[in-house]
Amino acid sequence: MLRRVTVFTGSAVGNDPLYATAVTSFGHALAEAGIGAVYGGGHVGLMGAVADALLSRGGEVRGVMPQALVDREIAHKSLTHLEVVSDMHQRKQRMAELGDGFVALPGGAGTLEELFEAWTWQQLGIHAKPVALLDVDGFWQPLVRMIASMTEKGFIAPAFSDALIVEENPRTLLRAMAEWTPPPPKWER
């Protein structure tokens, strides 16, 4: 059951307004489904847009942010709850603990880093939670092709590449996450 999803997305908005529109739609879909969000806690970029969208529809939004970033005044002031932690490692750990699944929206290096950690942890059996990509206007297709190549070359087991949810529609993505079944962990296969 999805009560809350951990969202990874950009602290920038990107060059196309389509991205902000899409993450706003995702925030609205979360609220309509009664699902809250956990994210990095910022008011900037797409992360701020998805938080604002969910909050505007009465949804729960929990932010987790290191004190150093709070000191730089990028923390969102209107969240349901903002948890201040000591560093980025603690932030990612808390975000993983608080969510029932992970969704990557468009973003940059930080989004990729968080996505790969969550997906790797799933493969190792550290958690048994779905990991998903909201594929806005084909944003994730280069990565999907890379994962297919890594699978074809024997570096990722097909069960793990198949376990990564990739959807264009927020509601379809949330439904796929709710119906997802974890693959056996890598070393128990």
Side-chain angles (χ1 to χ4, degrees), residues 1 39 54 59 78 85 101 114 142 145 147 152 154 165 179 187:
M1 180 175 152
Y39 83 118
L54 186 50
S78 302
V85 295
E114 292 169 326
R145 287 191 298 275
I147 291 168
E152 180 183 311
I165 298 166
E179 296 170 356
W187 305 117

Side-chain angles (χ1 to χ4, degrees), residues 109-131:
T111 301
L112 285 174
E113 189 268 337
E114 292 169 326
L115 164 66
F116 282 122
E117 183 169 86
W119 191 37
T120 300
W121 287 4
Q122 178 196 81
Q123 293 173 39
L124 295 174
I126 295 170
H127 69 73
K129 301 174 184 181
V131 178

Side-chain angles (χ1 to χ4, degrees), residues 86-170:
S86 60
D87 58 39
M88 293 296 282
H89 296 291
Q90 192 176 27
R91 175 196 215 181
K92 290 187 297 178
Q93 181 66 42
R94 283 298 291 152
M95 289 171 63
E97 290 168 357
L98 292 169
D100 300 312
F102 305 87
V103 178
L105 308 176
T111 301
L112 285 174
E113 189 268 337
E114 292 169 326
L115 164 66
F116 282 122
E117 183 169 86
W119 191 37
T120 300
W121 287 4
Q122 178 196 81
Q123 293 173 39
L124 295 174
I126 295 170
H127 69 73
K129 301 174 184 181
V131 178
L133 306 173
L134 183 63
D135 195 23
V136 177
D137 195 35
F139 181 86
W140 291 112
Q141 286 309 299
L143 177 62
V144 169
R145 287 191 298 275
M146 184 67 205
I147 291 168
S149 176
M150 295 166 89
T151 303
E152 180 183 311
K153 292 174 181 10
F155 290 100
I156 298 175
F160 298 128
S161 56
D162 292 345
L164 183 64
I165 298 166
V166 182
E167 292 290 346
E168 297 176 9
N169 180 285

